[in-house]
Amino acid sequence: MKFLQSTVSLFLALFFVTFNSTPTKAQSFEVKTHQLTNGMKILIQEDHSIPSVALYIFYRIGSRNERPGTTGLSHFFEHMMFNGAKKYGAGEFDRVMEAAGGRNNAYTSNDVTVYQDWFTPSALELIFDLEGDRIQNLAFDPKIIESERGVVASERRTSVDANNFGLLNEQLYAAAFTAHPYQWPVVGWMVDIENWKMEDLKKHFEMGYAPNNATMVVVGDVSADEIIKFAQKYIAPIRARELPAKVTTTEPEQLGERRIVLKKFAQLPILMMGYHIPESAHPDYYPLRVLENVLFAGDSSRLYQRLVDKDQLALSVRGGLGFGFSFDPSLFEITAQPKDGVAPETVEKVIYQEIDKLKTELITDKELEKAKNILLADFYRTQKTINGKANTLGSYEVFFGDYKKMFNAADDYKKVTKEDVQRVVKKYFSENHRTVATLIPEKANTTADAKKVESGKPSVAAKKSKTATTNQQTASKK
């Protein structure tokens, strides 16, 4: 569905609202909470503005809970959860929901798997019945598993093996993380996708998709009493299970720059770099988000101005917090595509010049105001829809430890100073914390090789590239 990569949209760069001149309006609204006896926590926000409901379930399981040999399983279950259970068989989840006027989707990240339902209030009990059935009684039909294995393998070929940006990004994370599971991709290594066993699947489902490992968020034209009543009927009887083992591995401090060169059929080179940054719950999250906008938000951003507009060295430049939200320290990414005839080294040198400038000179008042305006406009925009509120409430509950911290987010953005931005640049953007990955174009060895790439099949070079797949990407069943 989307990448969690925090590329700042050009649209937002053009959306100027002067929030700094006025006090931040409190964005607090009533959220009712309930915890079932099996451990599932439920957040409910009644919003009767439209006759519609958004129900999100956040499972605290993603690729960081996998191990070598079974990578990609969390993403696989994102697909499998729509492939039949005991009461509602194969294909029935979508058919029954859509017949009731609802729709759904899901996404997987390194940290969580999230299922999303949108429907009218009249379908509320049906949705709980559907969700309860697949949580408790998911089918493990060998034929469906093999079919879905093929779908996931095809998704990997398209998004990674035949995608130069995806392949290089996978290389970047595989090199930047030597111990922590963020080193492998959400979609999984191809060799693992091909070799998951039934035992692996059942063990992973048992571990990750338990009610006590999930948070349900419901926003819309419903009452908390209705939600709790149906949750008691359909979800509470599902037994709690043993939680996934705590991820105790922390990435050792990087003590020197790491470099990767990928040679592959391509029209133009690609330059990527990643700097280690802390997890989302860290206080530096907000200054890093401001920095992200200063560097990449629109045509007036620093790197666009320097690389694309002024020096005309690159066709594009983008980046930001690689995972958006993360439980553990991740990467701040920078990606640039040099123009034809421009060496990646030249672009790289200019990027370092701009980073060094941020270490010695404070950003301007205008840049700070613009970044905050974009962040606040984006944040407030999410609060205008039941989807946005459900996703944001769940994200703050899961990644920041308490949904109430969402109500302080606007003030936390406003508190960021120019000195804060300079401090985080000095702290995290050092050569020792940096990994650089460069894709150098090679001409196709044969016409057949080029055709494979164009058709979405991996080239020989890509197949040999073991360190492949996108790490920070999320995927979707649709």
Side-chain angles (χ1 to χ4, degrees), residues 167 261-266 438-442 459 461-462:
L167 190 58
V261 175
L262 173 63
K263 295 182 179 179
K264 186 176 180 296
F265 173 75
T438 309
L439 185 145
I440 304 298
E442 280 192 336
S459 67

Side-chain angles (χ1 to χ4, degrees), residues 163-166 168 264-273 296 303-304 306-309 311-319 334-348 351 437-441:
N163 182 316
N164 289 340
F165 284 94
L168 190 66
K264 186 176 180 296
F265 173 75
Q267 298 297 323
L268 292 171
I270 304 170
L271 174 67
M272 287 188 184
M273 54 186 70
F296 305 112
L303 286 181
Y304 183 92
R306 180 70 193 279
L307 287 171
V308 180
D309 191 10
D311 293 358
Q312 298 193 11
L313 297 173
L315 292 174
S316 63
V317 60
R318 58 192 170 93
I334 301 173
T335 299
Q337 181 144 53
K339 295 178 72 171
D340 189 20
V342 176
E345 294 81 4
T346 303
V347 173
E348 186 179 348
I351 291 173
T438 309
L439 185 145
I440 304 298

Side-chain angles (χ1 to χ4, degrees), residues 59-67 70 74 109-112 181-182 184 204 207-208 213 244-247 327:
Y59 291 92
R60 291 174 175 78
I61 189 162
S63 60
R64 74 193 277 276
N65 303 106
E66 299 160 0
R67 59 175 176 75
T70 62
S74 301
S109 76
N110 303 73
D111 301 284
V112 295
Y182 284 164
W184 56 72
H204 194 77
M207 172 181 70
N213 197 38
K246 186 177 180 181
V247 177
F327 288 144

